C-alpha cells in the first residue's frame, strides 16, 4: 500500500468501510457477508421488479432490502454489495487491495445465484429491455455516480463518523434512481445486479456494456470528486 493509501486509511479507521472496524473478521466471513447482502438485494430486484411480484412498489422493496442488509452486515464486510463501490472504496483507501477481487467475485456469483433462485417465484415471462444507448448509459452513469459519492461521504468520512443514517442515505439513492430511470436502463447502478439482470434475460449480452462501462467509470469519477472535495 502506498504512503498516500496509508494516509487515506488512517482517516477512515472506525468508519463503516474503514479498515480497523473490520480487521477482526476473516476474509471468509467478509465474503459470506458480501454474498448474503448481494444475494438478497439481487433476489429482491429479480423477484419484485423483473418478475413483477411487487408491481409499482418494487423500488421500495429494493431500497428496504438494501438498507437492512447494510445495517445487518456492514460491520463485517463494509456492505459494498457492488463491484463499482468496492473499487471506489479501495481507491479511497478503505478496502484492502487483496480483498478487491474476492469481493467482486462473491458479489457477481451472488447476483447470478439470486437470479436463478428468483425463478421459483416467477409468474410472468421476461422480455429483454429495449434501451436507448444514450439514455441508458447516461442513466447508469449518473445514478451510479450519485450512489458511490453518497457512500464515500456517509460511510468513509471522518466528519460523518458514527452517524446512524448511512444505510438510509445509501438506500434512498437507489430508491430515487429506480423511480427516476428504472424504465430507461433497468435501474441497476451495480455490475453485480447487471449480472443478475443478464441471467434473468432482462439485459442482453450485446447490451451489457451499456451498464458495466458507465457503472465502473462513474464509481471512479465519484471517488475523484470525493477526493477533491473532502480529502486533504
Amino acid at each position: 500500500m502506498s504512503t498516500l493509501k496509508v494516509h487515506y486509511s488512517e482517516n477512515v479507521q472506525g468508519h463503516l468501510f474503514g479498515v480497523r472496524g473490520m480487521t477482526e473478521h476473516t476474509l471468509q466471513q467478509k465474503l459470506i457477508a458480501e454474498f448474503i447482502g448481494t444475494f438478497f438485494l439481487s433476489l429482491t430486484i429479480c423477484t419484485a421488479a423483473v418478475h413483477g411480484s411487487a408491481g409499482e412498489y418494487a423500488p421500495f422493496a429494493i431500497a428496504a432490502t438494501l438498507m437492512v442488509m447494510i445495517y445487518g452486515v456492514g460491520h463485517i464486510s463494509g456492505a459494498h454489495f457492488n463491484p463499482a463501490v468496492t473499487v471506489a472504496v479501495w481507491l479511497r483507501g478503505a478496502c484492502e487491495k487483496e480483498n478487491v477481487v474476492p469481493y467482486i467475485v462473491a458479489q457477481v456469483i451472488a447476483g447470478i445465484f439470486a437470479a436463478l433462485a428468483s425463478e421459483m417465484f416467477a409468474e410472468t415471462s421476461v422480455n429483454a429491455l429495449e434501451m436507448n444507448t444514450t439514455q441508458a448509459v447516461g442513466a447508469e452513469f449518473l445514478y451510479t455516480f450519485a450512489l458511490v459519492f453518497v457512500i464515500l461521504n456517509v460511510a468513509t468520512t471522518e466528519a460523518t463518523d458514527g452517524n446512524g443514517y448511512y444505510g438510509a442515505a445509501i438506500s434512498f439513492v437507489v430508491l430515487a434512481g429506480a423511480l427516476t430511470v428504472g424504465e430507461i436502463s433497468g435501474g441497476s447502478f451495480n455490475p453485480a445486479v447487471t449480472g443478475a439482470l443478464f441471467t434473468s434475460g432482462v439485459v442482453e449480452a450485446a447490451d451489457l456494456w451499456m451498464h458495466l462501462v458507465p457503472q465502473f467509470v462513474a464509481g471512479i469519477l465519484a471517488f475523484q470528486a470525493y477526493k477533491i472535495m473532502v480529502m486533504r
Side-chain angles (χ1 to χ4, degrees), residues 82 136-150 170 172-182 184-185 187-190 214-215 218-219 222:
N82 183 331
V137 170
E140 288 299 309
F141 174 84
L142 290 172
Y143 278 94
T144 304
F145 181 96
L147 175 61
V148 175
F149 186 73
V150 168
I170 295 167
F172 274 121
V173 177
V174 173
L175 175 61
L179 289 171
T180 305
V181 299
I184 295 173
S185 68
S188 173
F189 325 133
N190 181 337
Q215 288 163 358

Side-chain angles (χ1 to χ4, degrees), residues 42 48 57 61 66 73 85-87 98 113 116 154-155 166 170 228:
S42 300
Y57 298 106
L66 176 59
V73 302
V85 170
T86 296
V87 171
E98 58 268 25
F113 277 26
L116 296 175
V154 302
Y166 60 89
I170 295 167
I228 293 170

Side-chain angles (χ1 to χ4, degrees), residues 25-36:
H25 298 287
T26 66
L27 178 59
Q28 181 182 34
Q29 291 172 324
K30 294 176 183 178
L31 295 181
I32 291 172
E34 284 297 303
F35 182 92
I36 291 173

Side-chain angles (χ1 to χ4, degrees), residues 14-17 63 66-76 78-81 147 150-157 160-174:
H15 293 275
L16 172 63
F17 290 169
L66 176 59
M67 182 168 60
V68 297
M69 286 296 159
I70 289 172
Y71 286 124
V73 302
H75 65 289
I76 298 174
H80 299 186
F81 312 152
L147 175 61
V150 168
I151 287 171
L152 292 174
N153 276 282
V154 302
T156 76
T157 303
T160 60
D161 187 21
N163 74 78
Y165 56 75
Y166 60 89
I170 295 167
S171 300
F172 274 121
V173 177
V174 173

